[in-house]
Amino acid sequence: MEKYMKKHTEKYMDRHMEIMKQLLEKREELQSGNPDICKWAKEQGLSYAFSEEGYLLAACRKEVCLTQDGNAIWPFLRDGTPRENLSEKKQERMVLIFTGPKTAFQTEVPLPCGFSVKEIICQDHVFTIRSDSEQGDLAGTFPVMREALTLAESLYCSEKGVSEETLLKCCYEYLTEDHQNYLKKAEQEKLFLSGRNNRTAKADNFYRNENGDYVCNFTAELWGDRAEIYAVCSEKSGQTNKMRSKLSKYLNSHIQWIHEQKKQIQKAVLDEDMVSLACEWMEEYERTGENGKSCYELEDGSLLPAPVTEELFLSSLHIGGIHAYCEENKITFELFLDTEPDFFACHSIEVFITAAPECTYRIKVNGLAG
């Protein structure tokens, strides 16, 4: 019996790994709609869709190994070695295959028992897995789906396996909740970007705090992204309404300068050798890819070429937030520049910009803050 199980497992591994290997090799042709490759995918029983970023989500029906308790279990260890003492129990069901953009990154997660995939579509970054069984459809962006199904994936690859109860909870509680939160944020973003002018503080944004200072807190669109701006102005004299109007105009003129001088601010960051610092912080994520070239493996499984280049660094840079301090005709801005992907483990690059009355600006990069 042991000999039979070993032979059966090896046969299973060969077939499964071959499909996975071909899926990676054929992904570009699959994405471009090559008729022969699309026919091959159909013959393998693959349903699939690509996101705008190049993420591939696929599903196929296959035999899933079960533990003695009936939990679904991945038949291999993390290093690809077949598990020993596997139960003979197996169950045919659908599995999801997550593949990062243009990389060999892949993970597999079983779907709940009885779930049947009719089709997978992707629109506006959101994947929808349509079911032709009694279970409801599943929807989410690639990162949202992966995060919601992390527990199921982890248990599936463990000695314990993943139970049907956990799979249902991950798919119809965690994923549903995460997707609703995503849709809510996306709608808020859409409403924000539909505004006429998203870069100005209004007089009504200012209020006086317990110290008598004028304080303003608002969200602005800078460098193509959203940034939270907090300003404190120590003007104590003058009529409140007139002062609010004066301060809003004063603040907006400098915010506009920051928006327009993106390249000048980026140059100051580059001059402080922040690209080399990013490479240092990313060293622990560096590994050798299948093509023999160095790359960084990010937390979501996607890969970036190593080392960090100036072009990649600048494309990742955006303003996360700004603190402004106004006092006696002088204003100082404290910019917090973030990167996406995150090169500095949730730290920001701190940049100070001081504007003198004659509208001369001084930029000083102060390293990392976090």
Side-chain angles (χ1 to χ4, degrees), residues 116-336:
S116 181
V117 177
K118 181 179 181 180
E119 65 175 345
I120 302 178
I121 60 174
C122 186
Q123 187 175 6
D124 295 332
H125 310 285
V126 175
F127 286 98
T128 301
I129 306 171
R130 299 200 184 282
S131 171
D132 57 8
S133 51
E134 292 182 1
Q135 287 100 329
D137 298 344
L138 302 177
T141 64
F142 192 92
V144 164
M145 279 195 171
R146 282 218 62 210
E147 183 175 350
L149 299 176
T150 294
L151 175 60
E153 178 195 341
S154 178
L155 289 173
Y156 183 51
C157 296
S158 71
E159 293 290 336
K160 181 181 178 182
V162 58
S163 68
E164 186 67 15
E165 181 183 358
T166 299
L167 284 175
L168 289 169
K169 184 170 290 189
C170 287
C171 289
Y172 293 104
E173 288 185 32
Y174 302 157
L175 177 54
T176 300
E177 181 179 348
D178 288 353
H179 182 52
Q180 290 303 317
N181 289 336
Y182 168 82
L183 292 177
K184 185 177 180 181
K185 289 180 181 178
E187 183 61 28
Q188 290 173 346
E189 182 77 8
K190 184 178 178 181
L191 290 172
F192 173 79
L193 294 176
S194 66
R196 290 184 178 179
N197 192 335
N198 300 316
R199 245 183 330 272
T200 58
K202 297 178 176 59
D204 292 343
N205 293 136
F206 283 90
Y207 63 92
R208 302 194 78 164
N209 63 14
E210 64 275 10
N211 298 321
D213 297 327
Y214 286 89
V215 180
C216 175
N217 193 359
F218 70 105
T219 303
E221 185 270 320
L222 295 169
W223 299 3
D225 212 335
R226 297 179 70 174
E228 294 295 325
I229 299 178
Y230 176 76
V232 178
C233 302
S234 60
E235 298 283 349
K236 305 254 188 329
S237 59
Q239 296 181 21
T240 300
N241 289 339
K242 286 186 177 180
M243 186 56 65
R244 284 174 175 170
S245 178
K246 174 186 173 181
L247 291 175
S248 64
K249 292 177 181 178
Y250 179 63
L251 179 62
N252 290 335
S253 67
H254 295 298
I255 292 292
Q256 184 65 26
W257 185 90
I258 291 172
H259 178 70
E260 293 174 351
Q261 300 304 316
K262 176 180 178 180
K263 289 185 178 180
Q264 187 175 338
I265 296 170
Q266 287 181 332
K267 182 180 182 303
V269 172
L270 293 177
D271 289 344
E272 290 298 316
D273 207 18
M274 284 295 168
V275 175
S276 295
L277 187 61
C279 291
E280 291 179 19
W281 279 67
M282 292 295 290
E283 279 181 357
E284 63 179 294
Y285 301 101
E286 190 169 351
R287 70 176 183 82
T288 302
E290 288 193 350
N291 58 4
K293 296 182 179 180
S294 294
C295 59
Y296 302 118
E297 183 170 9
L298 306 182
E299 291 185 357
D300 67 355
S302 59
L303 302 181
L304 283 176
V308 178
T309 63
E310 181 178 307
E311 181 182 5
L312 175 61
F313 181 81
L314 291 180
S315 68
S316 75
L317 205 60
H318 63 275
I319 300 175
I322 298 177
H323 289 176
Y325 308 93
C326 315
E327 187 173 11
E328 297 181 356
N329 295 323
K330 186 175 101 171
I331 184 168
T332 299
F333 292 92
E334 185 181 9
L335 276 64
F336 298 95

Side-chain angles (χ1 to χ4, degrees), residues 26-45:
K26 300 174 187 290
R27 61 170 294 141
E28 289 188 9
E29 295 173 280
L30 197 64
Q31 189 171 8
S32 65
N34 183 302
D36 293 334
I37 305 304
C38 293
K39 181 181 178 182
W40 167 83
K42 186 175 182 180
E43 290 172 350
Q44 304 304 319

